[in-house]
Amino acid sequence: MFRVSQEIRLNTSSNAEVTRYSNTTNADSENDCIFGKYQRTPDADAYPTENPLVLVAPELTDPSKVQLLHFPNGALRINSEIDFTIKRNGVKGNFEVKVESPAGMNIVTPLQIVDPERLRVNFCLKEAGLYKVHIKCNSVPLPKSPFIIISICGEPESNVRKMELPIFKSDASCVTHRGLGLTHISLDEKNEFTVDGSAAGNNMLFVGIFGPKGQCDEVVIKHTGNNVYKITYEVRDSGDYLLVAKWGDEHIPGSPFQLSAM
């Protein structure tokens, strides 16, 4: 807000009338006026008795430059410790991280300064379900925020018997997909999409859908031949869903997909 100083004349006989200062020799007019310097705000109708409010805008921010290092991928067990790094890449400003638990509680997570370019984020998954990590810089959300973390119940990793899978020669980046079931969800209806791995080599397709109340009620994967699959699923609860599709151990392009059912 800009302020200017100017010569003005206050007419005491009319209370509200304000005119610009001008020289006059009329004695009667001088008796009715108080001359002096007053500060005013442009387009203001009255002179405030308090200092004006000064608004400070944050520095322009390009959040697309910010990187998240070591952010977890896939499902994690309860009580797992989350530890990742925010790299500024020259972006100035204040960062804010809020973790939304499966129960809907928002917790502001303190940030540890590693160096001028890096901030460390650390918290623990206390319950099973879908966690949302909201990250902002100068009140501007980062692209793809909120970031999703899934916490599941299960035995410790050391007690789980691992089954060794054969080694496949494949490239998940060559998998293609199409269908409305990857862009939006219709409640209580069959949602469909197709995954084409014909150009991605030999491997297995894994599809999982996680929603507000856990795993999706029904997911059907049908192989139609030549590594082309038709997937149908049905959900009954509104809210946010995470759809994961992997070709072997690797995500297909676009996975995980963030969807909403209204």
Side-chain angles (χ1 to χ4, degrees):
M1 181 180 292
F2 297 94
R3 297 172 63 86
V4 298
S5 178
Q6 61 183 11
E7 295 281 350
I8 61 175
R9 178 178 65 188
L10 298 181
N11 191 329
T12 57
S13 62
S14 60
N15 294 328
E17 184 180 1
V18 179
T19 58
R20 289 187 59 84
Y21 171 72
S22 60
N23 292 328
T24 177
T25 57
N26 189 320
D28 293 336
S29 177
E30 291 180 357
N31 291 335
D32 291 337
C33 299
I34 301 174
F35 294 93
K37 286 187 176 181
Y38 297 82
Q39 287 197 342
R40 64 171 297 179
T41 302
D43 302 325
D45 296 330
Y47 294 95
T49 58
E50 299 179 356
N51 292 331
L53 178 65
V54 178
L55 301 177
V56 180
E59 187 173 359
L60 293 178
T61 302
D62 183 4
S64 63
K65 296 181 179 179
V66 178
Q67 286 181 291
L68 300 186
L69 306 180
H70 313 299
F71 192 87
N73 185 15
L76 302 174
R77 289 181 172 82
I78 291 179
N79 296 324
S80 296
E81 184 176 350
I82 305 301
D83 195 331
F84 65 93
T85 301
I86 300 174
K87 187 176 181 182
R88 293 178 176 272
N89 287 328
V91 175
K92 298 180 180 179
N94 299 320
F95 282 84
E96 178 186 63
V97 177
K98 287 185 179 181
V99 179
E100 183 180 344
S101 70
M105 296 182 59
N106 288 305
I107 302 174
V108 178
T109 303
L111 304 179
Q112 178 183 348
I113 300 177
V114 179
D115 55 44
E117 272 290 301
R118 295 180 298 165
L119 302 171
R120 182 185 177 190
V121 183
N122 182 272
F123 60 92
C124 188
L125 305 178
K126 295 295 187 181
E127 56 184 307
L130 194 70
Y131 283 80
K132 298 180 182 179
V133 183
H134 302 263
I135 304 178
K136 294 182 179 181
C137 178
N138 292 338
S139 300
V140 179
L142 298 191
K144 297 187 178 181
S145 178
F147 301 91
I148 303 299
I149 299 176
I150 299 176
S151 175
I152 61 175
C153 298
E155 298 179 6
E157 185 71 22
S158 58
N159 296 332
V160 177
R161 183 180 177 182
K162 295 182 179 180
M163 181 180 65
E164 293 186 0
L165 297 176
I167 299 176
F168 295 101
K169 293 183 178 180
S170 63
D171 185 357
S173 65
C174 295
V175 176
T176 60
H177 53 76
R178 62 184 182 275
L180 296 178
L182 291 176
T183 57
H184 69 277
I185 297 177
S186 299
L187 290 176
D188 299 319
E189 296 181 9
K190 296 289 184 180
N191 299 274
E192 298 182 358
F193 64 94
T194 300
V195 173
D196 186 347
S198 58
N202 290 324
N203 219 315
M204 293 183 290
L205 176 67
F206 299 91
V207 177
I209 303 174
F210 198 91
K213 295 185 179 181
Q215 296 291 336
C216 178
D217 295 327
E218 180 182 350
V219 180
V220 178
I221 302 176
K222 183 178 180 180
H223 183 224
T224 60
N226 195 27
N227 282 343
V228 178
Y229 298 84
K230 179 180 179 181
I231 298 92
T232 60
Y233 64 92
E234 185 174 352
V235 299
R236 297 179 176 85
D237 300 307
S238 60
D240 295 326
Y241 285 81
L242 189 70
L243 191 154
V244 175
K246 286 188 173 183
W247 189 246
D249 292 331
E250 300 179 359
H251 286 273
I252 71 171
S255 176
F257 301 88
Q258 297 184 29
L259 308 172
S260 295
M262 308 302 291

PDB file of all heavy atoms in Angstrom, residues 93-118:
ATOM      1  N   GLY A  93      12.335 -20.107   0.655  1.00  0.00           N
ATOM      2  CA  GLY A  93      11.053 -20.021   1.352  1.00  0.00           C
ATOM      3  C   GLY A  93      10.941 -21.029   2.474  1.00  0.00           C
ATOM      4  O   GLY A  93      11.882 -21.759   2.802  1.00  0.00           O
ATOM      5  N   ASN A  94       9.763 -21.050   3.078  1.00  0.00           N
ATOM      6  CA  ASN A  94       9.485 -21.921   4.212  1.00  0.00           C
ATOM      7  C   ASN A  94       8.699 -23.150   3.767  1.00  0.00           C
ATOM      8  O   ASN A  94       7.727 -23.041   3.018  1.00  0.00           O
ATOM      9  CB  ASN A  94       8.698 -21.166   5.284  1.00  0.00           C
ATOM     10  CG  ASN A  94       9.474 -19.980   5.828  1.00  0.00           C
ATOM     11  OD1 ASN A  94      10.687 -20.070   6.040  1.00  0.00           O
ATOM     12  ND2 ASN A  94       8.790 -18.870   6.058  1.00  0.00           N
ATOM     13  N   PHE A  95       9.115 -24.296   4.267  1.00  0.00           N
ATOM     14  CA  PHE A  95       8.425 -25.550   3.963  1.00  0.00           C
ATOM     15  C   PHE A  95       7.556 -25.962   5.145  1.00  0.00           C
ATOM     16  O   PHE A  95       7.896 -25.702   6.307  1.00  0.00           O
ATOM     17  CB  PHE A  95       9.429 -26.660   3.651  1.00  0.00           C
ATOM     18  CG  PHE A  95      10.015 -26.585   2.272  1.00  0.00           C
ATOM     19  CD1 PHE A  95      11.113 -25.771   2.016  1.00  0.00           C
ATOM     20  CD2 PHE A  95       9.468 -27.298   1.226  1.00  0.00           C
ATOM     21  CE1 PHE A  95      11.650 -25.686   0.753  1.00  0.00           C
ATOM     22  CE2 PHE A  95       9.999 -27.226  -0.047  1.00  0.00           C
ATOM     23  CZ  PHE A  95      11.092 -26.423  -0.288  1.00  0.00           C
ATOM     24  N   GLU A  96       6.436 -26.594   4.814  1.00  0.00           N
ATOM     25  CA  GLU A  96       5.537 -27.121   5.831  1.00  0.00           C
ATOM     26  C   GLU A  96       5.130 -28.533   5.422  1.00  0.00           C
ATOM     27  O   GLU A  96       4.742 -28.774   4.280  1.00  0.00           O
ATOM     28  CB  GLU A  96       4.293 -26.238   5.974  1.00  0.00           C
ATOM     29  CG  GLU A  96       3.299 -26.764   6.989  1.00  0.00           C
ATOM     30  CD  GLU A  96       2.013 -25.957   6.998  1.00  0.00           C
ATOM     31  OE1 GLU A  96       1.318 -25.944   5.959  1.00  0.00           O
ATOM     32  OE2 GLU A  96       1.700 -25.345   8.030  1.00  0.00           O
ATOM     33  N   VAL A  97       5.231 -29.473   6.372  1.00  0.00           N
ATOM     34  CA  VAL A  97       4.862 -30.861   6.123  1.00  0.00           C
ATOM     35  C   VAL A  97       3.794 -31.266   7.131  1.00  0.00           C
ATOM     36  O   VAL A  97       3.993 -31.155   8.337  1.00  0.00           O
ATOM     37  CB  VAL A  97       6.085 -31.798   6.238  1.00  0.00           C
ATOM     38  CG1 VAL A  97       5.651 -33.249   6.053  1.00  0.00           C
ATOM     39  CG2 VAL A  97       7.145 -31.433   5.213  1.00  0.00           C
ATOM     40  N   LYS A  98       2.640 -31.712   6.608  1.00  0.00           N
ATOM     41  CA  LYS A  98       1.559 -32.230   7.446  1.00  0.00           C
ATOM     42  C   LYS A  98       1.277 -33.667   7.041  1.00  0.00           C
ATOM     43  O   LYS A  98       1.157 -33.966   5.859  1.00  0.00           O
ATOM     44  CB  LYS A  98       0.287 -31.388   7.296  1.00  0.00           C
ATOM     45  CG  LYS A  98       0.351 -30.024   7.949  1.00  0.00           C
ATOM     46  CD  LYS A  98      -0.984 -29.315   7.847  1.00  0.00           C
ATOM     47  CE  LYS A  98      -0.938 -27.943   8.513  1.00  0.00           C
ATOM     48  NZ  LYS A  98      -2.243 -27.244   8.430  1.00  0.00           N
ATOM     49  N   VAL A  99       1.173 -34.533   8.046  1.00  0.00           N
ATOM     50  CA  VAL A  99       0.870 -35.940   7.803  1.00  0.00           C
ATOM     51  C   VAL A  99      -0.567 -36.205   8.237  1.00  0.00           C
ATOM     52  O   VAL A  99      -0.923 -35.997   9.395  1.00  0.00           O
ATOM     53  CB  VAL A  99       1.832 -36.861   8.561  1.00  0.00           C
ATOM     54  CG1 VAL A  99       1.472 -38.328   8.320  1.00  0.00           C
ATOM     55  CG2 VAL A  99       3.268 -36.594   8.139  1.00  0.00           C
ATOM     56  N   GLU A 100      -1.392 -36.634   7.279  1.00  0.00           N
ATOM     57  CA  GLU A 100      -2.789 -36.975   7.557  1.00  0.00           C
ATOM     58  C   GLU A 100      -2.889 -38.478   7.766  1.00  0.00           C
ATOM     59  O   GLU A 100      -2.594 -39.263   6.872  1.00  0.00           O
ATOM     60  CB  GLU A 100      -3.684 -36.525   6.402  1.00  0.00           C
ATOM     61  CG  GLU A 100      -5.172 -36.783   6.643  1.00  0.00           C
ATOM     62  CD  GLU A 100      -6.026 -36.324   5.482  1.00  0.00           C
ATOM     63  OE1 GLU A 100      -5.518 -35.549   4.638  1.00  0.00           O
ATOM     64  OE2 GLU A 100      -7.192 -36.747   5.416  1.00  0.00           O
ATOM     65  N   SER A 101      -3.293 -38.861   8.973  1.00  0.00           N
ATOM     66  CA  SER A 101      -3.363 -40.278   9.322  1.00  0.00           C
ATOM     67  C   SER A 101      -4.607 -40.921   8.729  1.00  0.00           C
ATOM     68  O   SER A 101      -5.522 -40.223   8.270  1.00  0.00           O
ATOM     69  CB  SER A 101      -3.380 -40.427  10.846  1.00  0.00           C
ATOM     70  OG  SER A 101      -4.615 -39.973  11.370  1.00  0.00           O
ATOM     71  N   PRO A 102      -4.694 -42.270   8.734  1.00  0.00           N
ATOM     72  CA  PRO A 102      -5.902 -42.934   8.232  1.00  0.00           C
ATOM     73  C   PRO A 102      -7.167 -42.512   8.972  1.00  0.00           C
ATOM     74  O   PRO A 102      -8.259 -42.567   8.414  1.00  0.00           O
ATOM     75  CB  PRO A 102      -5.594 -44.423   8.460  1.00  0.00           C
ATOM     76  CG  PRO A 102      -4.108 -44.505   8.427  1.00  0.00           C
ATOM     77  CD  PRO A 102      -3.625 -43.239   9.046  1.00  0.00           C
ATOM     78  N   ALA A 103      -7.027 -42.073  10.237  1.00  0.00           N
ATOM     79  CA  ALA A 103      -8.177 -41.629  11.010  1.00  0.00           C
ATOM     80  C   ALA A 103      -8.578 -40.193  10.689  1.00  0.00           C
ATOM     81  O   ALA A 103      -9.571 -39.686  11.217  1.00  0.00           O
ATOM     82  CB  ALA A 103      -7.894 -41.759  12.511  1.00  0.00           C
ATOM     83  N   GLY A 104      -7.808 -39.509   9.831  1.00  0.00           N
ATOM     84  CA  GLY A 104      -8.145 -38.146   9.437  1.00  0.00           C
ATOM     85  C   GLY A 104      -7.494 -37.068  10.266  1.00  0.00           C
ATOM     86  O   GLY A 104      -7.796 -35.889  10.091  1.00  0.00           O
ATOM     87  N   MET A 105      -6.585 -37.417  11.173  1.00  0.00           N
ATOM     88  CA  MET A 105      -5.900 -36.425  11.999  1.00  0.00           C
ATOM     89  C   MET A 105      -4.701 -35.852  11.248  1.00  0.00           C
ATOM     90  O   MET A 105      -3.939 -36.595  10.622  1.00  0.00           O
ATOM     91  CB  MET A 105      -5.440 -37.049  13.320  1.00  0.00           C
ATOM     92  CG  MET A 105      -6.569 -37.530  14.211  1.00  0.00           C
ATOM     93  SD  MET A 105      -5.960 -38.207  15.777  1.00  0.00           S
ATOM     94  CE  MET A 105      -5.098 -36.780  16.432  1.00  0.00           C
ATOM     95  N   ASN A 106      -4.561 -34.513  11.295  1.00  0.00           N
ATOM     96  CA  ASN A 106      -3.442 -33.827  10.645  1.00  0.00           C
ATOM     97  C   ASN A 106      -2.388 -33.481  11.684  1.00  0.00           C
ATOM     98  O   ASN A 106      -2.679 -32.816  12.678  1.00  0.00           O
ATOM     99  CB  ASN A 106      -3.912 -32.563   9.936  1.00  0.00           C
ATOM    100  CG  ASN A 106      -4.711 -32.873   8.686  1.00  0.00           C
ATOM    101  OD1 ASN A 106      -4.240 -33.575   7.807  1.00  0.00           O
ATOM    102  ND2 ASN A 106      -5.930 -32.364   8.601  1.00  0.00           N
ATOM    103  N   ILE A 107      -1.171 -33.930  11.445  1.00  0.00           N
ATOM    104  CA  ILE A 107      -0.069 -33.688  12.375  1.00  0.00           C
ATOM    105  C   ILE A 107       1.026 -32.945  11.636  1.00  0.00           C
ATOM    106  O   ILE A 107       1.516 -33.397  10.592  1.00  0.00           O
ATOM    107  CB  ILE A 107       0.484 -35.012  12.929  1.00  0.00           C
ATOM    108  CG1 ILE A 107      -0.632 -35.806  13.635  1.00  0.00           C
ATOM    109  CG2 ILE A 107       1.642 -34.762  13.888  1.00  0.00           C
ATOM    110  CD1 ILE A 107      -0.211 -37.184  14.083  1.00  0.00           C
ATOM    111  N   VAL A 108       1.396 -31.761  12.171  1.00  0.00           N
ATOM    112  CA  VAL A 108       2.495 -30.989  11.591  1.00  0.00           C
ATOM    113  C   VAL A 108       3.806 -31.646  11.999  1.00  0.00           C
ATOM    114  O   VAL A 108       4.073 -31.858  13.181  1.00  0.00           O
ATOM    115  CB  VAL A 108       2.458 -29.528  12.053  1.00  0.00           C
ATOM    116  CG1 VAL A 108       3.646 -28.759  11.483  1.00  0.00           C
ATOM    117  CG2 VAL A 108       1.157 -28.864  11.642  1.00  0.00           C
ATOM    118  N   THR A 109       4.612 -32.009  11.011  1.00  0.00           N
ATOM    119  CA  THR A 109       5.861 -32.724  11.263  1.00  0.00           C
ATOM    120  C   THR A 109       7.024 -31.737  11.300  1.00  0.00           C
ATOM    121  O   THR A 109       7.209 -30.964  10.359  1.00  0.00           O
ATOM    122  CB  THR A 109       6.107 -33.767  10.158  1.00  0.00           C
ATOM    123  OG1 THR A 109       4.984 -34.651  10.104  1.00  0.00           O
ATOM    124  CG2 THR A 109       7.362 -34.559  10.433  1.00  0.00           C
ATOM    125  N   PRO A 110       7.813 -31.732  12.381  1.00  0.00           N
ATOM    126  CA  PRO A 110       8.968 -30.825  12.436  1.00  0.00           C
ATOM    127  C   PRO A 110      10.017 -31.205  11.409  1.00  0.00           C
ATOM    128  O   PRO A 110      10.192 -32.385  11.074  1.00  0.00           O
ATOM    129  CB  PRO A 110       9.496 -31.013  13.871  1.00  0.00           C
ATOM    130  CG  PRO A 110       8.985 -32.350  14.299  1.00  0.00           C
ATOM    131  CD  PRO A 110       7.677 -32.544  13.603  1.00  0.00           C
ATOM    132  N   LEU A 111      10.703 -30.205  10.890  1.00  0.00           N
ATOM    133  CA  LEU A 111      11.723 -30.414   9.866  1.00  0.00           C
ATOM    134  C   LEU A 111      13.104 -30.193  10.468  1.00  0.00           C
ATOM    135  O   LEU A 111      13.318 -29.258  11.242  1.00  0.00           O
ATOM    136  CB  LEU A 111      11.506 -29.463   8.685  1.00  0.00           C
ATOM    137  CG  LEU A 111      10.125 -29.516   8.020  1.00  0.00           C
ATOM    138  CD1 LEU A 111      10.061 -28.501   6.889  1.00  0.00           C
ATOM    139  CD2 LEU A 111       9.828 -30.908   7.501  1.00  0.00           C
ATOM    140  N   GLN A 112      14.026 -31.049  10.095  1.00  0.00           N
ATOM    141  CA  GLN A 112      15.404 -30.930  10.560  1.00  0.00           C
ATOM    142  C   GLN A 112      16.269 -30.402   9.424  1.00  0.00           C
ATOM    143  O   GLN A 112      16.293 -30.975   8.337  1.00  0.00           O
ATOM    144  CB  GLN A 112      15.924 -32.292  11.035  1.00  0.00           C
ATOM    145  CG  GLN A 112      17.374 -32.265  11.483  1.00  0.00           C
ATOM    146  CD  GLN A 112      17.879 -33.651  11.873  1.00  0.00           C
ATOM    147  OE1 GLN A 112      17.092 -34.578  12.025  1.00  0.00           O
ATOM    148  NE2 GLN A 112      19.180 -33.787  12.029  1.00  0.00           N
ATOM    149  N   ILE A 113      16.968 -29.305   9.671  1.00  0.00           N
ATOM    150  CA  ILE A 113      17.819 -28.697   8.644  1.00  0.00           C
ATOM    151  C   ILE A 113      19.121 -29.483   8.565  1.00  0.00           C
ATOM    152  O   ILE A 113      19.904 -29.517   9.519  1.00  0.00           O
ATOM    153  CB  ILE A 113      18.092 -27.217   8.960  1.00  0.00           C
ATOM    154  CG1 ILE A 113      16.776 -26.427   9.015  1.00  0.00           C
ATOM    155  CG2 ILE A 113      19.024 -26.614   7.909  1.00  0.00           C
ATOM    156  CD1 ILE A 113      16.955 -24.980   9.397  1.00  0.00           C
ATOM    157  N   VAL A 114      19.354 -30.113   7.418  1.00  0.00           N
ATOM    158  CA  VAL A 114      20.602 -30.847   7.192  1.00  0.00           C
ATOM    159  C   VAL A 114      21.683 -29.891   6.688  1.00  0.00           C
ATOM    160  O   VAL A 114      22.812 -29.895   7.175  1.00  0.00           O
ATOM    161  CB  VAL A 114      20.370 -31.989   6.177  1.00  0.00           C
ATOM    162  CG1 VAL A 114      21.666 -32.753   5.914  1.00  0.00           C
ATOM    163  CG2 VAL A 114      19.292 -32.942   6.686  1.00  0.00           C
ATOM    164  N   ASP A 115      21.321 -29.077   5.716  1.00  0.00           N
ATOM    165  CA  ASP A 115      22.180 -28.017   5.201  1.00  0.00           C
ATOM    166  C   ASP A 115      21.265 -27.019   4.505  1.00  0.00           C
ATOM    167  O   ASP A 115      20.045 -27.225   4.468  1.00  0.00           O
ATOM    168  CB  ASP A 115      23.263 -28.576   4.251  1.00  0.00           C
ATOM    169  CG  ASP A 115      22.696 -29.395   3.100  1.00  0.00           C
ATOM    170  OD1 ASP A 115      21.701 -28.954   2.496  1.00  0.00           O
ATOM    171  OD2 ASP A 115      23.243 -30.470   2.801  1.00  0.00           O
ATOM    172  N   PRO A 116      21.776 -25.897   3.981  1.00  0.00           N
ATOM    173  CA  PRO A 116      20.883 -24.900   3.358  1.00  0.00           C
ATOM    174  C   PRO A 116      20.016 -25.434   2.235  1.00  0.00           C
ATOM    175  O   PRO A 116      18.995 -24.848   1.910  1.00  0.00           O
ATOM    176  CB  PRO A 116      21.872 -23.834   2.843  1.00  0.00           C
ATOM    177  CG  PRO A 116      23.061 -23.953   3.739  1.00  0.00           C
ATOM    178  CD  PRO A 116      23.173 -25.412   4.066  1.00  0.00           C
ATOM    179  N   GLU A 117      20.398 -26.559   1.637  1.00  0.00           N
ATOM    180  CA  GLU A 117      19.649 -27.101   0.504  1.00  0.00           C
ATOM    181  C   GLU A 117      18.735 -28.256   0.881  1.00  0.00           C
ATOM    182  O   GLU A 117      17.853 -28.618   0.118  1.00  0.00           O
ATOM    183  CB  GLU A 117      20.628 -27.574  -0.584  1.00  0.00           C
ATOM    184  CG  GLU A 117      21.015 -26.493  -1.579  1.00  0.00           C
ATOM    185  CD  GLU A 117      19.862 -26.112  -2.499  1.00  0.00           C
ATOM    186  OE1 GLU A 117      19.345 -26.974  -3.211  1.00  0.00           O
ATOM    187  OE2 GLU A 117      19.470 -24.932  -2.486  1.00  0.00           O
ATOM    188  N   ARG A 118      18.913 -28.866   2.055  1.00  0.00           N
ATOM    189  CA  ARG A 118      18.191 -30.094   2.369  1.00  0.00           C
ATOM    190  C   ARG A 118      17.523 -30.026   3.744  1.00  0.00           C
ATOM    191  O   ARG A 118      18.115 -29.509   4.702  1.00  0.00           O
ATOM    192  CB  ARG A 118      19.138 -31.300   2.318  1.00  0.00           C
ATOM    193  CG  ARG A 118      19.697 -31.594   0.936  1.00  0.00           C
ATOM    194  CD  ARG A 118      20.615 -32.808   0.977  1.00  0.00           C
ATOM    195  NE  ARG A 118      21.768 -32.564   1.837  1.00  0.00           N
ATOM    196  CZ  ARG A 118      22.577 -33.529   2.278  1.00  0.00           C
ATOM    197  NH1 ARG A 118      22.354 -34.786   1.935  1.00  0.00           N
ATOM    198  NH2 ARG A 118      23.611 -33.222   3.051  1.00  0.00           N
TER     199      ARG A 118
END
